[in-house]
Amino acid sequence: MLIRAADPEMVQDVSPRREIADFRGRDLLGMEDLTAADICAILDSAASFKEISEREIKKVPTLRGKTIINLFFEPSTRTRTSFEIAGKRLSADVINISVSTSSLSKGETLRDTADTLAAMRADVLVVRHRAAGVPHMLARFSPSPVINAGDGAHEHPTQALLDLYTIREKLDTLQGRRVVIVGDIANSRVARSNIIGMHKLGMDVGVCAPRTMIPVGMESWGVDYHSDFDAVLPDADVVMMLRIQRERHGDVLFPSLQEYSDRYCLTSDRMRRAKPEILVMHPGPMNRGVEIAPEVADGLESVILQQVTNGVAVRMALLYLIVGSGSN
Ligand code: CP
């Protein structure tokens, strides 16, 4: 996959008041499929949905009569729950299919699962799978749109959108901002989706990790690579810490957890090198004390829980744009 920095002309073309793209019935499989204007339209729409979650009665009738199916083949707390909350706040019926209690555990194929859900007239499928490309495959079979909620190490577009929303909310502008993503880049769908989206919006992205956590061919991603966290931190407007995905590769990428942590954990000592207004982000789940110290995760610069809050608004906007009328 080739990831390139945004064409500056295209970025400048994205004015604050633009036409809302028609997302009705469209799949959301990756940030690669979205233009800069699409991303900005989704973020603008999310801003109008965020207020609903601040109300005493957090419910509007927008998607009454629509059915959302959450089909998660991998564990999730934030993504699955926030899609469920987003759907319910829009008055949709939300069905969560747990793979361990469904016929998928009896050997049913993805094709048959897609046909079965289509026969029940689902309006949208939200899919997470450990294998890259599964949401794309389901999208080919499914008459209803598919939203990728994370496929292997490939993409996690809704996470990138909520991250971009959070940065824009805190820093106001995205173009020219410097982001450093630290940790297990090779196995991170969050890093991949963010890099694609950030480049489309004219942001400057660096990655920092041991060489063993950098994917082959990253030269074509348009990011600069650093192994020294202390050297790269001072220039960052945003630092995004990633979990080591031990379930994907075991512990073979570094000599010991202690050694990794000594070099790459975001500690309060390290934070002294950072800009005072830096944003500390983490998609979760965190391994406190490994990639991020508890006092930094809970510190003033941390926007980690705001990312979670914004995840509901961004997913409400996406469900509305894809399943609802598609226009404000
Ligand atoms: N960020 C994220 O995808 O978290 P979950 O695995 O809890 O959904």
Side-chain angles (χ1 to χ4, degrees):
M1 177 176 41
L2 195 63
I3 304 174
R4 289 204 186 287
D7 175 349
E9 280 185 18
M10 185 177 79
V11 172
Q12 280 159 17
D13 206 25
V14 180
S15 60
R17 302 297 312 168
R18 66 204 135 253
E19 290 290 308
I20 301 279
D22 191 355
F23 291 93
R24 257 173 310 182
R26 273 175 64 178
D27 301 312
L28 175 61
L29 299 176
M31 295 300 283
E32 277 192 320
D33 304 334
L34 299 177
T35 64
D38 286 341
I39 296 170
C40 292
I42 293 165
L43 303 191
D44 289 349
S45 186
S48 57
F49 279 103
K50 189 167 174 182
E51 174 269 330
I52 294 168
S53 296
E54 307 302 325
R55 297 180 190 172
E56 195 181 334
I57 307 294
K58 303 172 183 58
K59 210 171 183 78
V60 291
T62 314
L63 295 186
R64 197 165 49 200
K66 302 289 185 183
T67 304
I68 298 164
I69 295 191
N70 274 333
L71 189 54
F72 277 60
F73 297 80
E74 259 195 339
S76 167
T77 299
R78 279 147 285 267
T79 313
R80 197 199 58 75
T81 309
S82 65
F83 266 113
E84 182 172 356
I85 289 174
K88 287 183 170 169
R89 286 191 182 158
L90 295 171
S91 301
D93 297 311
V94 185
I95 313 299
N96 293 305
I97 300 188
S98 155
V99 171
S100 60
T101 57
S102 75
S103 291
L104 288 153
S105 64
K106 300 178 197 162
E108 184 170 76
T109 64
L110 274 175
R111 173 73 197 249
D112 285 338
T113 301
D115 288 348
T116 301
L117 299 179
M120 295 185 207
R121 305 286 182 265
D123 292 292
V124 62
L125 303 181
V126 181
V127 180
R128 169 173 287 191
H129 200 283
R130 67 189 299 275
V134 165
H136 306 67
M137 197 170 126
L138 272 173
R140 284 205 301 279
F141 303 143
S142 169
S144 28
V146 171
I147 299 178
N148 181 359
D151 63 323
H154 179 225
E155 278 234 37
H156 192 348
T158 65
Q159 178 71 43
L161 289 166
L162 75 89
D163 291 339
L164 289 166
Y165 182 94
T166 305
I167 299 170
R168 191 178 79 163
E169 182 177 64
K170 300 304 276 186
L171 300 182
D172 218 28
T173 57
L174 296 176
Q175 192 167 357
R177 297 289 188 182
R178 169 77 171 159
V179 183
V180 176
I181 305 177
V182 185
D184 192 355
I185 310 292
N187 286 292
S188 177
R189 54 198 176 205
V190 174
R192 194 177 289 260
S193 285
N194 263 299
I195 290 167
I196 298 168
M198 286 169 176
H199 279 161
K200 287 185 175 182
L201 297 184
M203 301 175 80
D204 172 28
V205 189
V207 296
C208 181
R211 257 284 165 208
T212 49
M213 290 184 173
I214 297 297
V216 175
M218 206 191 59
E219 306 72 54
S220 64
W221 287 28
V223 296
D224 45 292
Y225 166 70
H226 304 264
S227 59
D228 185 346
F229 192 12
D230 294 321
V232 80
L233 186 57
D235 291 331
D237 297 304
V238 176
V239 63
M240 184 177 290
M241 305 305 299
L242 300 176
R243 180 175 70 87
I244 299 172
Q245 304 212 13
R246 294 158 99 175
E247 72 276 23
R248 299 201 201 280
H249 56 62
D251 287 338
V252 296
L253 299 183
F254 43 84
S256 73
L257 213 50
Q258 186 59 53
E259 190 164 326
Y260 178 83
S261 188
D262 288 346
R263 293 192 60 194
Y264 296 104
C265 183
L266 186 56
T267 59
S268 44
D269 251 11
R270 266 202 177 101
M271 281 292 285
R272 284 191 253 281
R273 295 171 174 271
K275 292 181 182 176
E277 65 279 13
I278 192 170
L279 300 184
V280 173
M281 304 184 79
H282 195 307
M286 288 184 275
N287 287 149
R288 287 171 179 259
V290 178
E291 73 273 7
I292 189 164
E295 63 274 18
V296 177
D298 301 329
L300 289 177
E301 298 85 357
S302 169
V303 293
I304 294 168
L305 290 178
Q306 288 157 66
Q307 289 173 261
V308 177
T309 300
N310 291 336
V312 175
V314 165
R315 289 169 179 129
M316 285 173 84
L318 285 168
L319 291 172
Y320 164 70
L321 291 167
I322 292 171
V323 184
S325 71
S327 61
N328 279 320

